Amino acid sequence: MSRKPFRLFAGLVATAMVLAACQSASESPTGSEQASSSAAPTGQEVTVIGTWTGDEQDSFLAMVAPWEAETGNTVKYQGTRAINDILAAGIPTGVLPDLAGLPGPGQMAEYAAAGALKPLDDVLDIATYESETSPALVALSKVDSTTYGIFIKAAVKGLIWYNPNLHDYSSAPPATWDDLMTEGAANQGNAEALWCLGIESGDASGWPATDWIEEILLHQAGPDVYNQWWAGDLAWTDPAIQSAFETYMDVVNNAYGGGTNAVATKFDVAGDPLFADPPGCALFHQASFITGLGAFTDKTAGTDYNAFPFPAFNDQYATAVEGAGDLFGMFHDTEAAKSLMKYLVTAEAQDIWVQRGGALSPNKNATSYPDDISGLMGGMLTGADSLVFDASDQMPTAMNAAFWQHMVSLTAGHETIEQALSILDQVRGDAYAQ
Amino acid sequence: MSDKLITALVAVVGVPLVMIGYIWATEQVLRIVPGRFKSRIRPWLWVAPAIGLLGLFLVYPTIGTVFRSFRDSKNESFVGLDNYAWFFGDQGAQSALMNNVLWLVLLTLFVVGVGLLFAVLVDRVRYESAAKSVIFMPLAISMVAAGVIWLYMYQYRPPGAVQTGTLNAVLGAFGTGPVPWLQVEDFRLNTIMLIIVMGWMWTGFGMVIISAALKGINPELLEAARVDGATEWQVFRRIVFPLLTPTLAVVATTMIITALKAFDIVYTMTGGQLNTEVIANLMYKQMFSFGQYGRGSAIAVILLAAIVPIMLINVGRFRAQEAVR
């Protein structure tokens, strides 16, 4: 009997603590909203979510540090791989960060139409922004001529990396795919296989393989077919797509460790066998950001690794470039958030990440690249006349997820090209219908 | 920071005050009630807050989910049974359902079987509590952390390279090739590998419950059997096992529910790729990744419908056991 009051009290304390935890958890996303009422944007907090973790997170924080020092505001950054889900759940409920990375232009248009994204035309100095930024990327950040997004950093997708100690392609990079295959085989040396391939990436596994398909399709069939395809206007069973898949399977069959190893290897370390002795492979396809990941981080550009652009299948489409970028949007137009957005597009801000490596700047005046290769890629990005955006990132999420999933099954050898394409075409009927 | 501290203090002091205040207020109300009704009304007043909270956080969302399962992806119009028709016609959903059946059977067998084995073995050693603690420990790890730990266990590197995954390193020591544990779809090996992770976590739970029941068996029964010349196996098979059956059933039903709700392990380890999808992960994807609220709700309702009968059986057994005592 004497112990009962104690038990009651313990129960109450436990309940109270749970409630307290809930309270503080629900408070953080809205805490910054109070900032909008305050006139002087100093001492404010700007909540930001993005997909960057590890080195990339450090680089972003380094990028905003001067702004924090200057304005006295702070950036509260959270890196998450579930950003799509957080935003998709946040749009109807309104629980959103001040600034966030956006999955792609498609989602940006969707969020803008829902009224969640704030237009940036009055926030940025539009004239300067447009004169400094790659025109193709400016176009991608607009919805019906209103700017809703900015690119913090960008990447060029179609690059083939190699180890110059095995064979130096820099004086005469292969011009066509056929040249690449013959020269690659001839210069393979003691490398175990021609290609390195790794497509594991947690629940997004398969995306490096979708990049392969995109790159092949773009150079085989051209930008028009490419754009029709991601927009859902082309059947997956179309001969153009079929042909791209067949070329990809040639790569899988010549990959280090085969398809099994490709599906079990994480994309960021997939290129590491380039530097092994004897090398596991001679060539590796990945976007420009690979220089900030895996074994590339300890190596020297130019002497330990080098790259050439994806070769042409067809002269007509030789100069087409596939780019990708980290789009950023604003969900709460507080003074501090606006000031941060304005700062992030400047050459001064973008130069910080560029200098740290692993990023290309969409801003033409941010040119402090740490090495010649990065400089060259930066030029490819800002100078490209025909630039297409990552196709799978522009597909509806269900289509994109199915594309990833079937690339994994196909690469692992559990499906044939015909099976994969016919299922993907069924998904197309469903995914674009929404 | 200080904001949160204040909130915490208010909650720690304020919530108990409100609750004590509520009980005091109900007593004030009861004063005006005639004496003979008092004892009947008081319990209802005391459980009212709990019923209210349950209704708000459990019943209301359940009804909402059932409602949404008959609506389209954006909850704008009724689509009849379309979402259910999709679930039972979709290849991916069927594969997930098949995997859940596999989870249900294998996880239950694993936890009950290995749990029983450990409970019986550990019962006979001097360092019993230490051994039990070690086996029970994985249950204290979050499922996401367990998934990450086991990713290292299953890690695969191509033949010839140094195997960094524990399992493949062991295989390598015996001279056999590495196996990509989570990438082999044949015989659903990858799903079985995921089930082992969950089994590793829950075996301790099964062991503790079964061990407690084992201690409850009257030793005189076992003595009598031994005096009569029964072998140890016969004692286990004819006396211990039948007496443990109700407990094994409780562990089994709990595991069936756990298997049906399996999510975290799949989400962290494979994301449902290569045919490892399960219903709960599919529900999450449809709802939060694809924005298909109707389909996601339909899956939730199907999952609920599958779990409720098992829970009823569990509660029924528990009541029967209590009645015997």
PDB file of all heavy atoms in Angstrom, chain A residues 150-164:
ATOM      1  N   ILE A 150      17.185  27.813 -57.171  1.00  0.00           N
ATOM      2  CA  ILE A 150      18.549  28.192 -57.528  1.00  0.00           C
ATOM      3  C   ILE A 150      19.396  26.924 -57.482  1.00  0.00           C
ATOM      4  O   ILE A 150      19.039  25.967 -56.808  1.00  0.00           O
ATOM      5  CB  ILE A 150      19.137  29.238 -56.555  1.00  0.00           C
ATOM      6  CG1 ILE A 150      19.122  28.709 -55.121  1.00  0.00           C
ATOM      7  CG2 ILE A 150      18.394  30.550 -56.668  1.00  0.00           C
ATOM      8  CD1 ILE A 150      19.958  29.512 -54.168  1.00  0.00           C
ATOM      9  N   PHE A 151      20.484  26.941 -58.219  1.00  0.00           N
ATOM     10  CA  PHE A 151      21.396  25.799 -58.160  1.00  0.00           C
ATOM     11  C   PHE A 151      22.572  26.146 -57.247  1.00  0.00           C
ATOM     12  O   PHE A 151      23.281  27.113 -57.479  1.00  0.00           O
ATOM     13  CB  PHE A 151      21.904  25.440 -59.561  1.00  0.00           C
ATOM     14  CG  PHE A 151      20.889  24.705 -60.374  1.00  0.00           C
ATOM     15  CD1 PHE A 151      20.030  25.383 -61.237  1.00  0.00           C
ATOM     16  CD2 PHE A 151      20.764  23.335 -60.258  1.00  0.00           C
ATOM     17  CE1 PHE A 151      19.079  24.696 -61.973  1.00  0.00           C
ATOM     18  CE2 PHE A 151      19.817  22.639 -60.998  1.00  0.00           C
ATOM     19  CZ  PHE A 151      18.970  23.322 -61.848  1.00  0.00           C
ATOM     20  N   ILE A 152      22.728  25.357 -56.183  1.00  0.00           N
ATOM     21  CA  ILE A 152      23.833  25.578 -55.258  1.00  0.00           C
ATOM     22  C   ILE A 152      25.123  25.083 -55.894  1.00  0.00           C
ATOM     23  O   ILE A 152      26.167  25.696 -55.800  1.00  0.00           O
ATOM     24  CB  ILE A 152      23.623  24.774 -53.951  1.00  0.00           C
ATOM     25  CG1 ILE A 152      22.312  25.157 -53.293  1.00  0.00           C
ATOM     26  CG2 ILE A 152      24.815  24.919 -53.017  1.00  0.00           C
ATOM     27  CD1 ILE A 152      22.355  26.401 -52.478  1.00  0.00           C
ATOM     28  N   LYS A 153      25.005  23.922 -56.495  1.00  0.00           N
ATOM     29  CA  LYS A 153      26.156  23.379 -57.204  1.00  0.00           C
ATOM     30  C   LYS A 153      25.610  22.506 -58.317  1.00  0.00           C
ATOM     31  O   LYS A 153      24.413  22.204 -58.348  1.00  0.00           O
ATOM     32  CB  LYS A 153      27.064  22.579 -56.269  1.00  0.00           C
ATOM     33  CG  LYS A 153      26.491  21.267 -55.778  1.00  0.00           C
ATOM     34  CD  LYS A 153      27.481  20.580 -54.874  1.00  0.00           C
ATOM     35  CE  LYS A 153      26.955  19.305 -54.274  1.00  0.00           C
ATOM     36  NZ  LYS A 153      27.081  18.123 -55.099  1.00  0.00           N
ATOM     37  N   ALA A 154      26.465  22.109 -59.214  1.00  0.00           N
ATOM     38  CA  ALA A 154      26.010  21.307 -60.339  1.00  0.00           C
ATOM     39  C   ALA A 154      27.058  20.263 -60.659  1.00  0.00           C
ATOM     40  O   ALA A 154      28.147  20.265 -60.097  1.00  0.00           O
ATOM     41  CB  ALA A 154      25.750  22.206 -61.545  1.00  0.00           C
ATOM     42  N   ALA A 155      26.666  19.362 -61.533  1.00  0.00           N
ATOM     43  CA  ALA A 155      27.587  18.312 -61.923  1.00  0.00           C
ATOM     44  C   ALA A 155      27.392  18.040 -63.401  1.00  0.00           C
ATOM     45  O   ALA A 155      26.312  18.260 -63.952  1.00  0.00           O
ATOM     46  CB  ALA A 155      27.313  17.043 -61.124  1.00  0.00           C
ATOM     47  N   VAL A 156      28.446  17.585 -64.054  1.00  0.00           N
ATOM     48  CA  VAL A 156      28.333  17.111 -65.421  1.00  0.00           C
ATOM     49  C   VAL A 156      28.317  15.600 -65.320  1.00  0.00           C
ATOM     50  O   VAL A 156      29.139  15.005 -64.639  1.00  0.00           O
ATOM     51  CB  VAL A 156      29.529  17.577 -66.275  1.00  0.00           C
ATOM     52  CG1 VAL A 156      29.388  17.063 -67.685  1.00  0.00           C
ATOM     53  CG2 VAL A 156      29.622  19.080 -66.279  1.00  0.00           C
ATOM     54  N   LYS A 157      27.329  14.981 -65.977  1.00  0.00           N
ATOM     55  CA  LYS A 157      27.144  13.552 -65.767  1.00  0.00           C
ATOM     56  C   LYS A 157      28.044  12.680 -66.624  1.00  0.00           C
ATOM     57  O   LYS A 157      28.622  11.727 -66.139  1.00  0.00           O
ATOM     58  CB  LYS A 157      25.678  13.196 -66.024  1.00  0.00           C
ATOM     59  CG  LYS A 157      24.763  13.643 -64.899  1.00  0.00           C
ATOM     60  CD  LYS A 157      24.408  12.472 -64.010  1.00  0.00           C
ATOM     61  CE  LYS A 157      23.641  12.939 -62.782  1.00  0.00           C
ATOM     62  NZ  LYS A 157      23.203  11.820 -61.976  1.00  0.00           N
ATOM     63  N   GLY A 158      28.114  13.010 -67.924  1.00  0.00           N
ATOM     64  CA  GLY A 158      28.753  12.060 -68.834  1.00  0.00           C
ATOM     65  C   GLY A 158      30.260  12.129 -68.876  1.00  0.00           C
ATOM     66  O   GLY A 158      30.842  12.720 -69.779  1.00  0.00           O
ATOM     67  N   LEU A 159      30.920  11.570 -67.875  1.00  0.00           N
ATOM     68  CA  LEU A 159      32.376  11.582 -67.864  1.00  0.00           C
ATOM     69  C   LEU A 159      32.886  10.166 -67.707  1.00  0.00           C
ATOM     70  O   LEU A 159      32.302   9.366 -66.977  1.00  0.00           O
ATOM     71  CB  LEU A 159      32.887  12.430 -66.710  1.00  0.00           C
ATOM     72  CG  LEU A 159      32.675  13.933 -66.877  1.00  0.00           C
ATOM     73  CD1 LEU A 159      32.884  14.631 -65.567  1.00  0.00           C
ATOM     74  CD2 LEU A 159      33.607  14.495 -67.940  1.00  0.00           C
ATOM     75  N   ILE A 160      33.965   9.871 -68.391  1.00  0.00           N
ATOM     76  CA  ILE A 160      34.579   8.558 -68.244  1.00  0.00           C
ATOM     77  C   ILE A 160      35.961   8.755 -67.636  1.00  0.00           C
ATOM     78  O   ILE A 160      36.801   9.485 -68.178  1.00  0.00           O
ATOM     79  CB  ILE A 160      34.611   7.824 -69.590  1.00  0.00           C
ATOM     80  CG1 ILE A 160      33.141   7.567 -69.960  1.00  0.00           C
ATOM     81  CG2 ILE A 160      35.400   6.519 -69.479  1.00  0.00           C
ATOM     82  CD1 ILE A 160      32.919   6.832 -71.209  1.00  0.00           C
ATOM     83  N   TRP A 161      36.146   8.159 -66.477  1.00  0.00           N
ATOM     84  CA  TRP A 161      37.374   8.340 -65.701  1.00  0.00           C
ATOM     85  C   TRP A 161      38.342   7.210 -65.994  1.00  0.00           C
ATOM     86  O   TRP A 161      37.936   6.084 -66.237  1.00  0.00           O
ATOM     87  CB  TRP A 161      37.034   8.369 -64.199  1.00  0.00           C
ATOM     88  CG  TRP A 161      36.078   9.451 -63.858  1.00  0.00           C
ATOM     89  CD1 TRP A 161      34.716   9.377 -63.881  1.00  0.00           C
ATOM     90  CD2 TRP A 161      36.406  10.796 -63.491  1.00  0.00           C
ATOM     91  NE1 TRP A 161      34.172  10.596 -63.550  1.00  0.00           N
ATOM     92  CE2 TRP A 161      35.185  11.481 -63.298  1.00  0.00           C
ATOM     93  CE3 TRP A 161      37.607  11.491 -63.306  1.00  0.00           C
ATOM     94  CZ2 TRP A 161      35.131  12.820 -62.927  1.00  0.00           C
ATOM     95  CZ3 TRP A 161      37.549  12.825 -62.925  1.00  0.00           C
ATOM     96  CH2 TRP A 161      36.327  13.475 -62.750  1.00  0.00           C
ATOM     97  N   TYR A 162      39.617   7.533 -65.942  1.00  0.00           N
ATOM     98  CA  TYR A 162      40.623   6.500 -66.164  1.00  0.00           C
ATOM     99  C   TYR A 162      41.869   6.818 -65.357  1.00  0.00           C
ATOM    100  O   TYR A 162      42.029   7.928 -64.854  1.00  0.00           O
ATOM    101  CB  TYR A 162      40.946   6.374 -67.650  1.00  0.00           C
ATOM    102  CG  TYR A 162      41.534   7.627 -68.264  1.00  0.00           C
ATOM    103  CD1 TYR A 162      42.908   7.839 -68.289  1.00  0.00           C
ATOM    104  CD2 TYR A 162      40.705   8.608 -68.809  1.00  0.00           C
ATOM    105  CE1 TYR A 162      43.445   8.988 -68.838  1.00  0.00           C
ATOM    106  CE2 TYR A 162      41.231   9.760 -69.361  1.00  0.00           C
ATOM    107  CZ  TYR A 162      42.604   9.952 -69.368  1.00  0.00           C
ATOM    108  OH  TYR A 162      43.130  11.105 -69.908  1.00  0.00           O
ATOM    109  N   ASN A 163      42.728   5.835 -65.259  1.00  0.00           N
ATOM    110  CA  ASN A 163      43.991   6.006 -64.549  1.00  0.00           C
ATOM    111  C   ASN A 163      45.089   6.231 -65.587  1.00  0.00           C
ATOM    112  O   ASN A 163      45.419   5.321 -66.344  1.00  0.00           O
ATOM    113  CB  ASN A 163      44.274   4.744 -63.722  1.00  0.00           C
ATOM    114  CG  ASN A 163      45.517   4.874 -62.880  1.00  0.00           C
ATOM    115  OD1 ASN A 163      46.362   5.737 -63.130  1.00  0.00           O
ATOM    116  ND2 ASN A 163      45.624   4.027 -61.880  1.00  0.00           N
ATOM    117  N   PRO A 164      45.658   7.445 -65.667  1.00  0.00           N
ATOM    118  CA  PRO A 164      46.640   7.744 -66.724  1.00  0.00           C
ATOM    119  C   PRO A 164      47.905   6.886 -66.635  1.00  0.00           C
ATOM    120  O   PRO A 164      48.632   6.768 -67.622  1.00  0.00           O
ATOM    121  CB  PRO A 164      46.966   9.227 -66.530  1.00  0.00           C
ATOM    122  CG  PRO A 164      46.327   9.645 -65.291  1.00  0.00           C
ATOM    123  CD  PRO A 164      45.393   8.594 -64.808  1.00  0.00           C
TER     124      PRO A 164
END
